[in-house]
Amino acid sequence: MSKAFVDTTILTNILLKSGEIKELSLKALARYNETLLPVYAIKEFKAGPLKNHVWLHNKFAVLQSFSKTINSIQRMSLTPKRYTTSTALEALHVATEHFEKITSSNQIILYGDTPNLDKFLCDSTRLAIKVSIFKAWRQRRSVTTKVICPLPCYKEVAPVENGILIDIKPVQCSNNLECSLEPLLKSREEDLRKLQSAINPDSPKIEDRRRLKILKELCRKPKTKLFDNECRSLGDAIFAFLAPNDSVILTTNIRDHEPLANSLGKRVEAP
Amino acid sequence: MNTNTAEILSFEPIITGRDDEKQKANFHEELWRFGYEFDEKLETRKQIPTESLYPLSESLSPLISKVFRLLEKGMANIEESLESLKKDDLIASDDAIQHLIVTIAELFCCRSIGEGFAATINAVLHSILNKEGDPLNFEEIIAIKSSLNRLQTEPFLEFNDSLDLILKLEKSGLTVEPKHLNTIIDFF
């Protein structure tokens, strides 16, 4: 029986993307008899991609203008790549392609400012993002055949409407509950050392350095407490650690997952 | 006033026997209170049109009145499309959908009605636009019909309930997100 241990990138592609990217991930899941989603992936999903979507929705809700919001997010682009004006213009062009023809001056006469193209696009986009967020949360546990590795220290709290905005808190573990991963991690010290050895100590990536530091502390200082920050920083290492031996880790991020998985004798596959 | 069919059906247990006239009279009264009529001959229930439940809509809220008219127009477009499809007239069916796009766009102008209404209409609009001119098939048209039908009886639909309709649209094979959303999300 073939098994896939599904990571956050696949979950994100299925729940928040559309078109070819989503289809590719769905087809990948269909390759396996059993697909397993750890609750850790849901936690990462909520604190990462879903939180970003909520931020984007709230941006549209507050600025009430499509062009202003696009300009704003372009300036704040969260990836190292700084998107150029042409990318922002591309978004505007794609969006206006359909709508210019169906909003008309007649409608402005009838409905006042509502059919103004900028407002039309803003509201249309905001609503689509809102639907995407709540749909994703509703479907998060039905993407795979099983949800495994429960985290009693993490409460899956749904996003809520808060006036015109959406509130997604909490995205962290409950502070007053003991980390449920901590005892499991500490009980397999040999695996922690293998994961350490898979990380380049001279890596320029901050996430690699953080991950290595926490793994070392878990081994050297058994009394170290694991809090939400450290738990999240372990990231890809957790997937390698938790994946059943008879499964493959399904991810779009082969580059980061592979060395960690291989150190524990596990395999990684991409969609 | 709630015109939800499910709530009316909850009155069924009240009747223990058809020959109990007093109970039947009570049952009819309860139905009437909630805007339903009981047809003795057919022993079925008819729904009073939504416009009858909102008789003063034109003066109290021109917008809701406009919404009902547009929804009726949209449903007429859909019926025409379905009828044409049954007769294998793809051109007439598709043309009816072209008319529907304009109606739906105008319905979106009325989105201040509520988030549930706005989200549903937005999803229907993009479902059709994302076909990029390809005709809708039977299942897709039925899914859209189901959405508009629900809005006819519940124009003030809660946002959470609109998700059910939107998921149905997706299940029929339609893409409900605007094309430009992926471009925007790539900013992250």
Side-chain angles (χ1 to χ4, degrees):
Chain A
M1 182 184 267
S2 56
K3 278 186 199 172
F5 191 72
V6 176
D7 93 324
T8 317
T9 57
I10 301 292
L11 188 67
T12 305
N13 282 354
I14 292 170
L15 293 179
L16 292 178
K17 301 278 175 78
S18 62
E20 215 176 292
I21 298 171
K22 179 177 177 172
E23 285 311 310
L24 214 58
S25 290
L26 284 170
K27 277 182 189 162
L29 286 185
R31 293 203 301 256
Y32 306 93
N33 298 118
E34 214 179 353
T35 50
L36 313 168
L37 184 76
V39 173
Y40 189 83
I42 295 174
K43 182 179 148 180
E44 274 208 331
F45 172 71
K46 192 186 180 197
L50 198 64
K51 193 179 90 171
N52 288 344
H53 266 62
V54 167
W55 169 80
L56 186 60
H57 168 275
N58 292 346
K59 209 77 178 151
F60 277 103
V62 165
L63 290 177
Q64 294 273 302
S65 158
F66 185 79
S67 54
K68 281 181 187 167
T69 310
I70 292 297
N71 286 333
S72 165
I73 62 177
Q74 186 217 342
R75 287 194 300 272
M76 287 182 66
S77 180
L78 299 179
T79 65
K81 275 195 288 182
R82 282 269 153 234
Y83 280 88
T84 61
T85 310
S86 63
T87 313
L89 284 175
E90 187 200 337
L92 276 167
H93 171 72
V94 172
T96 55
E97 233 180 355
H98 284 144
F99 289 99
E100 269 175 331
K101 293 162 193 151
I102 55 175
T103 54
S104 68
S105 55
N106 280 344
Q107 288 171 329
I108 291 170
I109 292 164
L110 287 169
Y111 299 104
D113 196 40
T114 319
N116 164 286
L117 186 59
D118 188 56
K119 185 80 170 62
F120 200 99
L121 284 172
C122 174
D123 288 348
S124 178
T125 309
R126 180 190 67 77
L127 284 162
I129 296 168
K130 184 173 178 177
V131 165
S132 195
I133 290 163
F134 285 92
K135 221 164 34 97
W137 188 256
R138 203 190 259 205
Q139 295 177 318
R140 72 197 186 281
R141 283 180 159 257
S142 47
V143 167
T144 56
T145 56
K146 271 188 195 166
V147 176
I148 61 170
C149 306
L151 296 176
C153 53
Y154 175 71
K155 303 249 175 276
E156 289 177 53
V157 177
V160 292
E161 294 176 84
N162 184 5
I164 60 167
L165 304 179
I166 296 173
D167 204 341
I168 197 169
K169 288 176 191 151
V171 296
Q172 296 172 319
C173 296
S174 311
N175 279 334
N176 49 1
L177 291 172
E178 292 280 311
C179 173
S180 45
L181 276 177
E182 192 186 303
L184 181 62
L185 288 164
K186 286 176 179 173
S187 69
R188 287 160 55 180
E189 199 180 310
E190 198 183 323
D191 283 350
L192 295 182
R193 291 194 193 284
K194 285 176 183 174
L195 286 167
Q196 274 181 56
S197 65
I199 302 171
N200 177 6
D202 300 319
S203 169
K205 287 163 78 175
I206 299 172
E207 61 175 274
D208 282 344
R209 293 202 296 273
R210 278 192 194 140
R211 195 170 293 146
L212 187 58
K213 184 185 170 198
I214 296 160
L215 286 169
K216 279 181 178 173
E217 279 185 6
L218 282 169
C219 292
R220 280 192 289 127
K221 301 175 191 175
K223 289 186 181 169
T224 304
K225 285 280 164 210
L226 210 61
F227 294 105
D228 184 76
N229 275 346
E230 288 88 24
C231 175
R232 285 207 62 207
S233 295
L234 282 170
D236 300 338
I238 295 285
F239 286 93
F241 186 88
L242 291 177
N245 291 333
D246 60 345
S247 69
V248 295
I249 299 169
L250 188 63
T251 177
T252 61
N253 185 9
I254 296 282
R255 194 177 61 176
D256 289 339
H257 275 272
E258 199 156 49
L260 293 163
N262 287 348
S263 72
L264 298 181
K266 296 174 186 176
R267 291 187 301 120
V268 175
E269 277 181 21
Chain B
M1 193 176 279
N2 195 329
T3 58
N4 192 312
T5 306
E7 183 145 332
I8 299 304
L9 289 175
S10 72
F11 280 99
E12 284 239 300
I14 294 170
I15 302 294
T16 51
R18 284 282 175 268
D19 41 26
D20 189 331
E21 288 301 316
K22 192 176 176 187
Q23 242 185 348
K24 205 193 287 186
N26 286 343
F27 179 52
H28 291 184
E29 200 188 321
E30 289 294 334
L31 281 178
W32 180 254
R33 254 190 340 112
F34 284 88
Y36 278 77
E37 293 171 353
F38 189 83
D39 187 324
E40 292 241 27
K41 198 174 172 184
L42 297 173
E43 291 195 21
T44 56
R45 298 176 204 104
K46 276 192 301 194
Q47 198 170 337
I48 290 179
T50 314
E51 294 84 351
S52 305
L53 292 168
Y54 297 86
L56 301 174
S57 58
E58 189 65 56
S59 43
L60 285 178
S61 173
L63 190 64
I64 190 78
S65 173
K66 184 79 182 180
V67 161
F68 287 140
R69 278 203 294 276
L70 286 170
L71 283 171
E72 203 178 311
K73 192 175 167 191
M75 287 298 277
N77 293 143
I78 286 170
E79 289 302 335
E80 193 185 331
S81 182
L82 284 170
E83 279 306 310
S84 301
L85 211 58
K86 283 177 194 167
K87 293 174 194 167
D88 284 330
D89 190 347
L90 289 177
I91 289 174
S93 175
D94 192 48
D95 191 51
I97 297 299
Q98 304 313 306
H99 285 83
L100 179 66
I101 292 174
V102 178
T103 308
I104 298 295
E106 203 168 342
L107 274 166
F108 193 69
C109 293
C110 307
R111 59 192 177 277
S112 59
I113 290 287
E115 283 283 276
F117 175 90
T120 308
I121 292 296
N122 192 48
V124 168
L125 180 63
H126 288 289
S127 294
I128 306 172
L129 291 176
N130 285 333
K131 292 292 286 186
E132 309 233 303
D134 287 345
L136 270 66
N137 63 36
F138 184 77
E139 286 76 25
E140 289 166 343
I141 300 172
I142 290 294
I144 292 172
K145 182 181 175 181
S146 174
S147 296
L148 296 194
N149 198 30
R150 180 83 182 266
L151 289 178
Q152 277 188 307
T153 52
E154 289 180 66
F156 304 106
L157 191 72
E158 291 284 336
F159 176 78
N160 218 34
D161 294 331
S162 73
L163 290 180
D164 298 329
L165 299 175
I166 294 166
L167 282 166
K168 264 191 202 164
L169 290 170
E170 278 194 321
K171 204 173 173 186
S172 76
L174 293 162
T175 304
V176 299
E177 294 94 13
K179 243 172 55 168
H180 60 271
L181 196 59
N182 273 338
T183 313
I184 294 169
I185 288 165
D186 283 345
F187 282 134
F188 296 105

